[in-house]
Amino acid sequence: MRRDEDISILLTDKNFQKVLSNWTASTDKEKSDICKKHNLNLEEINILRQIWLGLDFHSPDYHAEKIETALNDTLWEIAKKQNVIRGKSPMRALYERFSRIAALLIVPVILYAFYIQFHHNPAPASDNHAIVVQSQPGVITKLVLPDGTKVCLNAGSAISYPNYFTGKKREVSLTGEAYFEVVKNKEMPMEIAAGNVKLKVYGTTFNVNAYPNESFAKITLVEGSVSLSSSGKADQAKEFFIKPGQTVTYYRESNKLDVEYKDTFQYTAWKDGLLVFKNTSFDSVLRQLSHRFNVDIELANKNLGSTSMDATFKNESLDEILRLLSLSTPFKYSYGPQHKLPDGSFEKSKIYIEEK
């Protein structure tokens, strides 16, 4: 960006505002590319972030878009009038211009906020509605929440969230499995409800496996901090804080927790289209295949269920996976008949597995 161009213009760019908000979650390469694109260095980016993150005058009592419009209008007016301070070093001039912009912004934005609060009715609750995204069988769906949080939704899973977050927390509901990269916000933590399991997140990367037909929920923390609580606990006030590298399994019936340290890749590889089994019981393998391919799998011989397996698959069909697994494990499989439902669709495929 040219040094004779007012930096306030850049602050009105919504895409650049997102860059500033998500800066800490960006990789070193992404940060380098952003600096090159806008001809800024890291010190200048940090100054911009301090200004932008400090300009949070949104109130839950009125619609955020109204304040955002006022902010942008004010920024553009300043952009028209401000000029580069001549006779000073570029960095010093840039810093003083930032400080001046921040000071000028505070008064008009606060006045506008009070004007809306006392002379206009709050935005109706109907403005904020729930968005539901469902990932179809065999499909992995990627999406971004209103705060910039990235979510990877596994096959047969669903997520529900508001079209914008308000209040003191970001509430999300999950059915199935998802991988989250949550944008950090200490003032508004994210709460994820998955059945009777609740997770509180301030900004971190983790995986949640909570299919409703399973007897457990499994949370794998890659980095950051997540607390787990459950409506099934006698004392709901207590939270269990998960540490990076831990995988915690919560058993719904007994309200017990099992904590283990394993390679997190085993539980998160699915987001990259991989199925990774390391010392995994045949029962667990079949459950994962059932969710992935939306089929019912019935194991006739329960003794096979405890058989341990090690394998990695990518892009293979269900038939091919079962065929390859059967080479090292003595089982055979067959498909049951599919019946047509009253609405014209067909019921889920059923696979029977028995010992050879």
Side-chain angles (χ1 to χ4, degrees):
M1 187 171 185
R2 301 191 313 274
R3 284 297 178 267
D4 61 347
E5 179 180 354
D6 201 312
I7 206 70
S8 60
I9 296 177
L10 189 58
L11 283 173
T12 65
D13 187 315
K14 291 185 178 181
N15 290 328
F16 191 72
Q17 292 169 5
K18 291 181 181 179
V19 167
L20 295 178
S21 298
N22 302 334
W23 181 256
T24 55
S26 301
T27 64
D28 291 341
K29 184 180 185 306
E30 289 172 339
K31 291 179 180 179
S32 177
D33 292 342
I34 291 168
C35 289
K36 289 180 181 178
K37 179 179 179 181
H38 299 287
N39 193 21
L40 296 169
N41 58 41
L42 292 176
E43 182 181 358
E44 293 166 343
I45 289 284
N46 286 330
I47 293 174
L48 277 169
R49 287 189 69 247
Q50 292 173 13
I51 294 172
W52 175 244
L53 295 177
L55 295 174
D56 185 10
F57 299 102
H58 295 181
S59 167
D61 295 328
Y62 45 83
H63 204 292
E65 292 180 358
K66 294 181 180 179
I67 294 301
E68 182 177 281
T69 300
L71 174 61
N72 286 340
D73 289 345
T74 306
L75 281 166
W76 276 108
E77 288 301 318
I78 294 173
K80 293 177 184 176
K81 298 177 182 179
Q82 297 298 315
N83 292 310
V84 176
I85 301 174
R86 302 186 182 278
K88 297 184 179 182
S89 68
M91 189 58 220
R92 181 63 186 172
L94 190 63
Y95 180 82
E96 291 187 7
R97 182 163 61 253
F98 289 164
S99 302
R100 188 170 61 254
I101 292 170
L104 289 171
L105 278 173
I106 291 174
V107 174
V109 174
I110 289 180
L111 289 176
Y112 189 83
F114 274 105
Y115 175 77
I116 288 180
Q117 187 169 3
F118 290 105
H119 296 278
H120 289 268
N121 293 325
S126 58
D127 281 357
N128 199 358
H129 58 272
I131 297 174
V132 179
V133 178
Q134 185 153 2
S135 193
Q136 298 303 309
V139 177
I140 294 173
T141 304
K142 295 183 179 181
L143 62 144
V144 179
L145 303 188
D147 64 337
T149 291
K150 298 177 182 178
V151 181
C152 194
L153 198 61
N154 206 348
S157 303
I159 189 171
S160 174
Y161 57 92
N163 62 327
Y164 60 88
F165 292 113
T166 60
K168 296 182 179 180
K169 56 187 177 182
R170 295 169 282 172
E171 294 184 299
V172 174
S173 295
L174 172 69
T175 300
E177 185 170 23
Y179 180 87
F180 290 86
E181 294 179 16
V182 178
V183 171
K184 188 174 184 179
N185 186 340
K186 291 184 178 180
E187 304 302 321
M188 187 187 287
M190 178 173 287
E191 286 193 0
I192 301 172
N196 64 339
V197 171
K198 181 178 289 184
L199 302 173
K200 185 178 289 185
V201 188
Y202 293 93
T204 187
T205 303
F206 61 100
N207 191 81
V208 183
N209 183 327
Y211 287 95
N213 60 341
E214 298 284 9
S215 61
F216 62 86
K218 193 181 292 286
I219 298 92
T220 299
L221 182 59
V222 178
E223 62 180 27
S225 178
V226 171
S227 73
L228 181 152
S229 59
S230 171
S231 58
K233 283 187 176 182
D235 184 0
Q236 297 182 35
K238 289 186 177 180
E239 295 177 283
F240 180 84
F241 286 87
I242 306 173
K243 298 178 181 179
Q246 284 184 341
T247 294
V248 175
T249 303
Y250 169 74
Y251 295 95
R252 295 188 172 99
E253 291 294 328
S254 61
N255 290 328
K256 290 183 178 179
L257 297 177
D258 180 34
V259 182
E260 59 182 346
Y261 281 93
K262 282 188 177 180
D263 184 1
T264 59
F265 178 72
Q266 178 178 344
Y267 299 109
T268 62
W270 64 266
K271 68 184 177 63
D272 300 312
L274 296 171
L275 283 170
V276 177
F277 306 123
K278 292 182 179 179
N279 195 27
T280 307
S281 69
F282 194 30
D283 265 337
S284 179
V285 170
L286 295 182
R287 283 200 302 269
Q288 293 183 54
L289 294 178
S290 177
H291 291 310
R292 180 68 168 266
F293 296 99
N294 192 37
V295 296
D296 287 330
I297 303 178
E298 183 176 307
L299 184 59
N301 191 321
K302 302 302 180 182
N303 293 330
L304 282 174
S306 59
T307 303
S308 180
M309 294 189 171
D310 292 274
T312 299
F313 300 101
K314 183 175 184 179
N315 300 326
E316 284 87 355
S317 66
L318 177 58
D319 269 334
E320 183 65 7
I321 291 173
L322 290 175
R323 186 188 70 80
L324 292 171
L325 290 176
S326 67
L327 296 178
S328 58
T329 306
F331 74 87
K332 59 182 179 180
Y333 65 95
S334 60
Y335 284 85
Q338 266 191 301
H339 300 289
K340 195 172 185 178
L341 300 175
D343 61 1
S345 62
F346 286 87
E347 64 183 3
K348 287 200 297 185
S349 297
K350 192 160 189 174
I351 297 177
Y352 299 93
I353 294 181
E354 57 185 336
E355 196 171 5
K356 284 182 180 178

